[in-house]
Amino acid sequence: MIAKLSDDLAAAFARLGGEDEGQVWSDLWDDLCHLNCVDDDSFLALPYLAAVSAGRAPGAPHEAVSMAGLIVSAADEEQAARYAEEIAVFLRTARRLLGETGDDTPAFVYLLQGVLAFEGERVWSPGRLEGLFTEEYEVDCPACSSTLFVAFGAYGAFASAGDYVTSDPVKAALLPADPAALDPLPARLHHMATEAGQEKVAHGLTYLFGRATCPDCEEVFAVSEQVLETY
C-alpha cells in the first residue's frame, strides 16, 4: 500500500494562497517540523512542497523550500533516492531565491541550509547555521565544560561564561578565521553570502569557523567543533 499524506494536511496545503496563508504555513511548520523534528508525514509532504516551490501550486516558494530543506536534511539514502525528483526542484528554486532575500538574514540562512541539504550535506544543513542570524552560539568549553556564549553581534565579538545581555561577565575575544584560509565548505558558504550581499552572514562565518578562548580556563578551541558537539 502506498502511503499518502493525511487528509488534514492535504487540506491545509489546499488552503495556501488564501487570506490566511501565514497561519496555514505556521500550522504546517508545527505539524511537519515541530521543534525541528521530522517524521514520515514530513517526507510525504515533499511532493506538495515541490509543487509550491515550482509554482505549480499556490503558496510562498521560499516557505516551501525552507521547510523542505529541514525535512531533507534528515533524509537517509533511501528517502533521498525516493524523492530525488522533488529534491532537484527544491535545489533549483533555493539557488534562485538566494539572491532575492534582500536584508532578510534568517530567510537567507534557511535557504543556505536548504541548498546544502538538497546537495546531500548532512552536517551543517540540520539547523546548525541558524546561529548566524541570532549572532550567537551556546557551547561548552572542551576543557573545563563551562557553558559559554560565543557572540558576534551588536554586543561585540567575544566568548563569555555568563549572560552578557543582563549582566557583565568576564569575556574573552574571539579569533575569527581568515576568509582566504577557510576549508572548502565554509569558504563556499562565505563566498555565497558575500555574493548575495549578506555581509552579516559572511562576517559570522569567520567566527563560526574561527577559534575562541574560554574566559574561565583560557583553553583555545575551534568554535565549529563545539557547535557540532552541542547542536
Side-chain angles (χ1 to χ4, degrees), residues 5-224:
L5 199 63
S6 71
D7 290 342
D8 286 347
L9 286 171
F13 276 104
R15 289 167 51 209
L16 290 175
E19 294 182 357
D20 62 341
E21 178 166 340
Q23 184 59 54
V24 175
W25 279 117
S26 179
D27 293 343
L28 285 170
W29 276 101
D30 285 343
D31 290 334
L32 297 173
C33 305
H34 184 61
L35 298 179
N36 283 9
C37 295
V38 302
D39 56 22
D40 290 342
D41 268 349
S42 306
F43 285 96
L44 293 175
L46 289 178
Y48 291 79
L49 292 169
V52 175
S53 172
R56 299 192 304 269
H62 72 277
E63 288 278 10
V65 171
S66 297
M67 185 180 295
L70 181 58
I71 295 169
V72 173
S73 72
D76 57 27
E77 289 185 9
E78 180 182 346
Q79 291 163 327
R82 184 184 309 153
Y83 295 103
E85 184 176 337
E86 288 83 2
I87 290 172
V89 171
F90 295 134
L91 181 56
R92 288 194 296 271
T93 303
R95 285 173 172 167
R96 174 177 60 82
L97 292 176
L98 272 177
E100 301 177 7
T101 54
D103 59 359
D104 191 339
T105 303
F108 178 82
V109 171
Y110 287 130
L111 287 170
L112 197 63
Q113 290 181 151
V115 168
L116 294 181
F118 306 141
E119 291 178 342
E121 200 278 338
R122 296 290 181 264
V123 177
W124 291 99
S125 60
R128 291 184 174 130
L129 296 179
E130 291 171 19
L132 294 172
F133 63 76
T134 62
E135 299 178 311
E136 173 190 279
Y137 282 98
E138 185 175 349
V139 301
D140 291 333
C141 171
C144 71
S145 298
S146 288
T147 299
L148 307 176
F149 292 98
V150 176
F152 42 88
Y155 291 88
F158 52 82
S160 74
D163 185 345
Y164 57 90
V165 176
T166 61
S167 61
D168 188 23
V170 177
K171 302 171 184 174
L174 301 182
L175 306 170
D178 179 353
L182 288 169
D183 288 339
L185 178 59
R188 181 189 176 209
L189 297 176
H190 188 272
H191 174 74
M192 293 168 76
T194 301
E195 192 173 54
Q198 293 285 343
E199 294 300 326
K200 182 185 294 186
V201 175
H203 184 65
L205 283 163
T206 66
Y207 290 112
L208 173 57
F209 292 98
R211 304 180 73 79
T213 301
C214 175
D216 282 348
C217 72
E218 300 186 348
E219 174 77 4
V220 178
F221 61 90
V223 175
S224 60

